[in-house]
Amino acid sequence: MRSISKKVPYRDLTYTQNVLTNAQLVQLKCIIATSFSNVEAEHYFALYFEKGESTKRRLRLFLSGGDIVGYCLLTFDDSNKDVCIVGASAAFLPDFRGKNSTFRFSLIEVLKRYIRNPRRKLLYADTMLSPAMFRAMAKNIAEVYPNNLPQNSAIATLYDTINPSGLVSPHNGLRCLKAVGRKTNYSEAEIARFRESSKTEIALYCSVNPDFDKGIALVVIIPISLTQFILTLKKILSSRVSGVLGRG
């Protein structure tokens, strides 16, 4: 087995139809099929990679020996006149899960989009089936919902607007859950480790969405603004300083 701590090379591109070879498309769909259960790879691929004429896509491919072993896809949906909705999909083959972080890629791509059109409102709103992916976002980004803070009426209204047919979490009273049917292909041991984790973000995820292993996803909302970028940068720098001092 390959070490999951080893980072692999990557390639960034703007995804459009016909930008990848047939062999690369087969590899991507294989990763999707391997990473999720109760999902038809062709349908999932069409939903995230091809649906929506007003959607722009940025894609990072993780490569090993010339083969695709993981990906991170960001979608920018401009079909709403009031706001551009940012979504994401990411998956890796089992041996490459762990240290091949998608956070920096996502942050940089969203920042570039914001700088190009600062007057266009941006809002990340997407479903997450993975406690690990939620932690990757929540531990670095300053303002993420849901969180451990008291929830105000504005956030509740936002969830009702974005996820009107969703499920209400008894943990926080927000309509922040969505039945998606598909499941992340975690082993029983991995699911148990998530449920027993003392890491703040993972514990929060499991409390808000205890049925993540049964096809229920957490709807994560991240407001995107200049203030968000500044506070996120401060949070990242503070975390790094704390880490250095902790090793001293």
Side-chain angles (χ1 to χ4, degrees):
M1 176 180 287
R2 299 176 188 267
S3 170
I4 63 172
S5 64
K6 183 179 179 181
K7 293 184 179 180
V8 298
Y10 57 81
R11 172 191 172 201
D12 295 342
L13 56 104
T14 297
Y15 179 81
T16 57
Q17 290 189 24
N18 303 319
V19 74
L20 300 179
T21 66
N22 287 335
Q24 289 173 322
L25 292 175
V26 169
Q27 290 170 10
L28 271 178
K29 292 171 186 177
C30 179
I31 292 170
I32 291 169
T34 301
S35 299
F36 304 105
S37 60
N38 295 347
V39 64
E40 206 283 308
E42 291 285 350
H43 173 75
Y44 183 94
F45 183 86
L47 179 65
Y48 276 90
F49 283 80
E50 297 177 345
K51 184 179 179 181
E53 294 182 358
S54 300
T55 300
K56 302 294 188 298
R57 295 172 171 87
R58 286 289 289 167
L59 176 65
R60 170 167 287 186
L61 299 175
F62 294 86
L63 306 166
S64 178
D67 294 331
I68 301 172
V69 297
Y71 75 88
C72 178
L73 176 75
L74 288 181
T75 60
F76 299 87
D77 181 359
D78 275 311
S79 60
N80 188 304
K81 66 182 180 65
D82 297 320
V83 60
C84 174
I85 300 294
V86 183
S89 172
F92 289 87
L93 294 178
D95 288 352
F96 294 89
R97 293 171 187 164
K99 297 298 183 179
N100 295 297
S101 175
T102 60
F103 172 73
R104 180 174 295 184
F105 168 73
S106 302
L107 183 65
I108 291 174
E109 291 299 326
V110 171
L111 178 58
K112 288 194 299 187
R113 176 66 182 242
Y114 177 82
I115 291 173
R116 284 196 296 266
N117 193 355
R119 294 185 179 181
R120 176 69 164 148
K121 186 176 180 181
L122 281 173
L123 184 70
Y124 178 95
D126 205 3
T127 54
M128 283 192 185
L129 283 164
S130 168
M133 181 173 285
F134 176 73
R135 181 172 187 265
M137 291 284 193
K139 74 175 182 177
N140 288 303
I141 296 176
E143 187 180 6
V144 178
Y145 299 97
N147 54 40
N148 279 318
L149 299 175
Q151 307 303 311
N152 57 48
S153 59
I155 296 302
T157 300
L158 185 57
Y159 267 110
D160 288 342
T161 301
I162 289 177
N163 190 35
S165 59
L167 307 173
V168 175
S169 170
H171 180 80
N172 56 18
L174 296 177
R175 196 174 299 278
C176 60
L177 304 179
K178 186 174 183 178
V180 295
R182 65 184 183 274
K183 299 183 291 182
T184 302
N185 246 344
Y186 286 127
S187 66
E188 291 299 323
E190 288 173 315
I191 293 170
R193 283 197 293 272
F194 281 133
R195 296 196 188 284
E196 296 165 3
S197 176
S198 60
K199 294 176 180 177
T200 302
E201 300 84 6
I202 290 179
L204 171 65
Y205 182 102
C206 292
S207 295
V208 175
N209 183 24
D211 292 328
F212 68 90
D213 59 328
K214 299 180 178 65
I216 304 298
L218 179 66
V219 179
V220 179
I221 294 177
I222 302 174
I224 299 170
S225 64
L226 181 59
T227 300
Q228 174 79 283
F229 285 119
I230 292 172
L231 293 177
T232 294
L233 180 59
K234 288 182 177 179
K235 185 174 182 178
I236 293 172
L237 292 176
S238 176
S239 177
R240 290 183 177 177
V241 170
S242 298
V244 170
L245 293 176
R247 293 193 297 269

